[in-house]
Amino acid sequence: MQAEPFQGLHRKAVEAMTTNETSFFRDFHPFEALKKFVLPDLLALRSAERTLNIWCAASSSGQEPYSLGMLIRENFPQLLSWKLRILATDLSTEVLARAREGRYSQLEVNRGLPANLLVKYFQKQGCDWYLRDEIRRMVDFQIVNLSNAWPALPPVDIVMIRNVLIYFGIETKKEILAKVRRVLKPDGYLFLGGAETTFSIDESFERVQFERATCYRIRRT
Ligand SMILES: C[S@@+](CC[C@H](N)C(=O)[O-])C[C@H]1O[C@@H](n2cnc3c(N)ncnc32)[C@H](O)[C@@H]1O
């Protein structure tokens, strides 16, 4: 039998080299932009088809997609009757298992999560906090290595690839952004981490500023 190229020791070595650092509502401003501008825009644009696809690539232990889930439930409950898919992917089987479990330490819930959302959407058991099913069920987790071939994805309205491009060399960044361009809808939105940009890497994206948040859209020629 032929060995899979990315298993066992190799996978563990790669996982050990990457940092899983994340937090709820990380950097705050992108989530404000989603709430005030991006989701209202998409809600209007997709009102006929009532379908919205969001992809959090490199989602680590789940705080990012679950923040989106809480933001949607709090501010856009009408989306819950749409065909809404929040797909969250990562390279690491370990963080994905943690994310699916939805269990967070006191330290983790102290970082970025507003107290009202903690009380409303988490349940304390022992020292840990468990995310309630109503949010956990909103997110599908899958393993995807961004630098390998990607699985077939439906056209995506919002892509969040935050704080992961920094680990790649320029050629891999170019390949990943070219693949994002293919999965992102022409009027969709791309969010990167605060230290990441498409500038000088892929000029088919243009930068869009929403108050203190930056996101990227496919340039219209
Ligand atoms: C610093 S965390 C960022 C988490 C989250 N996006 C955020 O901004 O808070 C980086 C994540 O990227 C994942 N990662 C690293 N290389 C990857 C790759 N080639 N494909 C998919 N995920 C990768 C790591 O496993 C880790 O969970």
Side-chain angles (χ1 to χ4, degrees), residues 189-213:
Y189 294 85
L190 164 67
F191 285 85
L192 301 177
E196 297 161 336
T197 179
T198 60
F199 186 67
S200 295
I201 304 170
D202 189 332
E203 298 310 330
S204 57
F205 287 97
E206 65 184 359
R207 193 184 138 115
V208 180
Q209 196 73 29
F210 291 117
E211 296 178 342
R212 297 184 63 188

Side-chain angles (χ1 to χ4, degrees), residues 38-47 52 82 157-158 187 189:
V38 172
L39 284 165
D41 181 43
L42 290 171
L43 229 86
L45 288 170
R46 309 283 185 259
S47 61
L52 197 71
W82 286 28
D157 299 288
I158 301 172
D187 55 359
Y189 294 85

Side-chain angles (χ1 to χ4, degrees), residues 9-208:
L9 260 184
H10 183 197
R11 182 193 291 278
K12 285 205 173 352
V14 173
E15 289 189 8
M17 281 188 303
T18 59
T19 160
N20 304 120
E21 167 71 15
T22 188
S23 56
F24 289 102
F25 297 94
R26 185 172 186 175
D27 301 334
F28 179 73
H29 301 294
F31 291 92
E32 281 299 289
L34 282 160
K35 181 167 86 180
K36 286 179 160 172
F37 305 104
V38 172
L39 284 165
D41 181 43
L42 290 171
L43 229 86
L45 288 170
R46 309 283 185 259
S47 61
E49 65 209 74
R50 293 166 61 86
T51 299
L52 197 71
N53 286 305
I54 303 177
W55 180 28
C56 280
S59 60
S60 189
S61 37
Q63 285 90 329
E64 185 175 80
Y66 287 144
S67 298
L68 264 168
M70 287 184 271
L71 185 147
I72 287 172
R73 198 166 264 274
E74 287 291 298
N75 300 283
F76 305 97
Q78 63 274 46
L79 274 178
L80 301 175
S81 64
W82 286 28
K83 233 173 122 200
L84 168 69
R85 186 177 192 207
I86 304 176
L87 173 68
T89 64
D90 201 281
L91 156 95
S92 161
T93 44
E94 276 168 44
V95 293
L96 287 173
R98 281 209 57 211
R100 285 191 190 101
E101 197 187 7
R103 174 164 61 95
Y104 298 96
S105 68
Q106 186 69 51
L107 205 71
E108 287 171 317
V109 298
N110 284 349
R111 294 183 62 204
L113 185 66
N116 63 315
L117 298 185
L118 175 64
V119 172
K120 192 165 173 182
Y121 294 119
F122 290 77
Q123 215 171 7
K124 194 156 192 218
Q125 276 180 38
C127 296
D128 292 329
W129 292 87
Y130 285 79
L131 189 61
R132 290 185 188 277
D133 281 353
E134 61 198 290
I135 302 296
R136 231 159 44 87
R137 276 198 306 259
M138 291 176 74
V139 182
D140 289 331
F141 290 97
Q142 253 184 48
I143 190 155
V144 173
N145 183 342
L146 292 170
S147 38
N148 288 353
W150 292 2
L153 295 167
V156 184
D157 299 288
I158 301 172
V159 177
M160 302 186 86
I161 300 199
R162 302 168 68 220
N163 304 298
V164 66
L165 287 184
I166 36 173
Y167 299 116
F168 300 123
I170 182 84
E171 285 313 314
T172 312
K173 284 182 190 168
K174 279 189 180 171
E175 284 165 22
I176 290 176
L177 287 174
K179 288 196 268 186
V180 169
R181 209 184 327 122
R182 291 197 284 274
V183 301
L184 188 64
K185 285 197 178 166
D187 55 359
Y189 294 85
L190 164 67
F191 285 85
L192 301 177
E196 297 161 336
T197 179
T198 60
F199 186 67
S200 295
I201 304 170
D202 189 332
E203 298 310 330
S204 57
F205 287 97
E206 65 184 359
R207 193 184 138 115
V208 180

